[in-house]
Amino acid sequence: MTAISSAARAQAQDLLDFIDASPSPWHAVATCEARLKAAGFYRLDEVDRWTLKPGNRCYVVRGGSSIVAFTLGSQPLPESGMTLIGAHTDSPGLRIKPRPAEDHGGMCRLGVEVYGGPLLATFADRDLGLAGRVHLKAGRTHESRLVHFAEPLIRLPNLAIHMNREVNEKGLKFNKQTELPLLLGTSDAALPADDRFRQLLAERLAVNADDLLTWELAACDTQKGSFWGVDREFFANSQLDNLASCHAGLSALIAAGDTMQTCVLALFDHEEVGSESAVGAGGSLLGDLLQRIAGACGLDAEDQRRMLARSFFISADMAHAWHPNFPAAYEPCHKVMINAGPVIKHNANQRYSTDGASAARFMAICEKAGVPCQQYAHRTDLGCGSTIGPILAARLGIASVDVGSPMWAMHSVRESAGVIDHAAMIAALTTAFTQQ
Ligand code: ZN
């Protein structure tokens, strides 16, 4: 029997609630912002001049889909550096095009782009909703509003096996242009698809359809998170990669309270598409903020460099758990098991930022937190994924480690992970923020 403490169960339930409230990266940032505000953090705007002092708890949002929160510690930055935790707010999936709706053979369909690398077949036959943000005319300018259709609205029905006889041997494949459009309804001769879609959005937002300018919308799963397994030791939800790490980092920052060291939590959009954007980890966001925090604390350029040289970055992203049905997919000496603790990810080709020293540092953090940890390396004959770790390590020159909780079915619309692992990750990250 897997013994699960009530505290671990509550943390996992809190994660499922966090994800259910965060069906898009914009919603994820809004959910984080609400939790930070409730914990006493206040918002800084990038267009203002900042003055900061020890004890300040602040956050910055860029572009609505990336957020950086920090607690200024009591120790001087050049002497203590910062502890940073990073994760990403985006998940792979289907994004609605700017002019998506078309009437096709008597049906109204929405055209999609494939965002990142989803397991496309998992989106078929799901009860899908829509979530994201809509941009509206507002006088001489515009405003953006979040929108979430949490009920089943759109669908990608499978082709019956009678027309796809080899699907179980050859796998489920879609032509991305012609076979992925999502069904929205039966065509209406009196209302073209485009007008109908605009009306749908306008009604949901209680605005005039003429005021709709454009939108950023993702197909989202409407099924809420759930526990499964004989001891309910696993959970399933959409976007565990990487909202589970966002939630763990956020929980750690809030639990850490007032700290001696300065703690930074940086959650970025666009990891799944390479991070090269104004809000992504490859952009200037974190570098700009660290420089501004240091400047607002009165550090000169020399002391800013000393601060970075003493800092430590933990890149938290999910890891691949060993799957008993597919043993050949794994490196046999690096089997990572669900509910056996946080995973340190290694790759000699720097797809992960971990080196021996940073791995040792994270092992010590886990030991201090009283949680086990595991080590992962990908099969040598398979291409390895990457994370924001190497990108930020290169940009900032900070010692970095790549870690994550083990999970199954990465990039499925319904991923799975372990209750004990999530609690262990929160414990390790909280220890990283509070250990000095
Ligand atoms: Zn990820």
Side-chain angles (χ1 to χ4, degrees):
M1 172 155 175
T2 313
I4 292 172
S5 69
S6 57
R9 175 73 63 199
Q11 284 171 321
Q13 182 62 59
D14 191 53
L15 166 63
L16 299 182
D17 295 342
F18 175 87
I19 293 176
D20 292 339
S22 307
S24 77
W26 303 278
H27 286 85
V29 166
T31 307
C32 289
E33 182 171 13
R35 289 181 172 217
L36 287 164
K37 272 187 181 160
F41 286 73
Y42 67 92
R43 183 170 178 151
L44 292 173
D45 199 309
E46 286 193 89
V47 300
D48 295 331
R49 291 190 73 85
W50 300 351
T51 324
L52 298 171
K53 60 179 191 313
N56 283 160
R57 313 176 95 196
C58 313
Y59 66 90
V60 178
V61 174
R62 188 183 277 189
S65 56
S66 292
I67 184 166
V68 180
F70 58 92
T71 303
L72 278 180
S74 53
Q75 292 175 334
L77 283 168
E79 313 307 328
S80 64
M82 297 173 162
T83 299
L84 303 102
I85 292 170
H88 62 91
T89 58
D90 60 325
S91 296
L94 303 176
R95 295 288 175 89
I96 308 301
K97 289 179 175 174
R99 299 190 61 203
E102 58 154 357
D103 289 304
H104 183 87
M107 298 298 297
C108 175
R109 307 192 303 176
L110 297 181
V112 293
E113 286 185 277
V114 177
Y115 179 82
L119 279 170
L120 282 174
T122 65
F123 283 77
D125 297 331
R126 301 281 312 174
D127 295 347
L128 299 175
L130 270 181
R133 63 178 181 173
V134 176
H135 302 267
L136 305 160
K137 284 182 203 160
R140 291 164 68 181
T141 174
H142 77 275
E143 63 169 310
S144 59
R145 297 252 301 269
L146 295 181
V147 66
H148 182 197
F149 293 84
E151 69 283 7
L153 173 72
I154 46 181
R155 196 170 196 90
L156 178 60
N158 240 309
L159 188 60
I161 197 162
H162 313 83
M163 289 91 139
N164 197 7
R165 289 283 185 192
E166 294 180 311
V167 63
N168 290 330
E169 286 68 46
K170 295 195 170 168
L172 184 55
K173 293 175 189 155
F174 293 94
N175 177 289
K176 296 185 178 79
Q177 172 63 27
T178 60
E179 294 170 348
L180 277 185
L182 302 167
L183 301 193
L184 178 67
T186 313
S187 288
D188 180 344
L191 193 62
D194 191 49
D195 293 342
R196 201 168 179 197
F197 183 63
R198 295 174 73 87
Q199 196 176 80
L200 176 77
L201 290 177
E203 278 171 13
R204 183 54 60 108
L205 290 166
V207 298
N208 191 325
D210 292 339
D211 289 338
L212 296 176
L213 293 170
T214 186
W215 43 77
E216 294 149 295
L217 295 169
C220 62
D221 200 5
T222 60
Q223 187 180 358
K224 294 204 178 309
S226 60
F227 294 105
W228 62 277
V230 65
D231 294 319
R232 299 170 73 234
E233 68 269 50
F234 310 117
F235 54 81
N237 210 343
S238 65
Q239 306 177 97
L240 293 181
D241 175 14
N242 190 22
L243 293 187
S245 305
C246 292
H247 177 266
L250 185 68
S251 303
L253 185 69
I254 291 171
D258 289 326
T259 49
M260 291 169 70
Q261 62 186 315
T262 291
C263 304
V264 180
L265 175 71
L267 309 178
F268 298 94
D269 196 2
H270 293 158
E271 189 272 349
E272 298 291 355
V273 292
S275 295
E276 289 292 332
S277 74
V279 298
S284 67
L285 175 57
L286 189 56
D288 285 350
L289 293 191
L290 297 190
Q291 204 173 14
R292 292 190 65 175
I293 292 168
C297 292
L299 271 62
D300 63 15
E302 178 78 353
D303 277 344
Q304 289 184 26
R305 291 286 177 276
R306 293 177 62 218
M307 172 191 86
L308 292 176
R310 287 192 197 274
S311 294
F312 186 50
F313 180 68
I314 299 171
S315 163
D317 204 345
M318 301 303 274
H320 298 296
W322 187 72
H323 190 321
N325 298 10
F326 301 96
Y330 297 85
E331 209 296 313
C333 295
H334 296 84
K335 281 193 216 167
V336 160
M337 306 303 285
I338 298 248
N339 284 330
V343 178
I344 301 172
K345 302 191 252 182
H346 297 263
N347 183 264
N349 295 298
Q350 295 303 300
R351 302 288 290 165
Y352 299 131
S353 64
T354 310
D355 66 8
S358 63
R361 205 160 160 176
F362 192 76
M363 286 174 183
I365 289 169
C366 287
E367 190 177 350
K368 192 161 183 189
V371 299
C373 70
Q374 315 182 67
Q375 301 200 70
Y376 181 79
H378 211 56
R379 277 187 71 92
T380 311
D381 53 6
L382 276 181
C384 183
S386 191
T387 70
I388 60 169
I391 295 168
L392 284 165
R395 285 194 70 85
L396 301 172
I398 296 179
S400 302
V401 65
D402 263 287
V403 305
S405 293
M407 69 177 292
W408 287 310
M410 190 177 285
H411 293 190
S412 165
V413 75
R414 191 85 177 163
E415 301 166 326
S416 286
V419 172
I420 293 171
D421 291 326
H422 190 61
M425 182 59 80
I426 293 174
L429 297 182
T430 306
T431 300
F433 276 152
T434 55
Q435 63 181 341
Q436 279 182 335

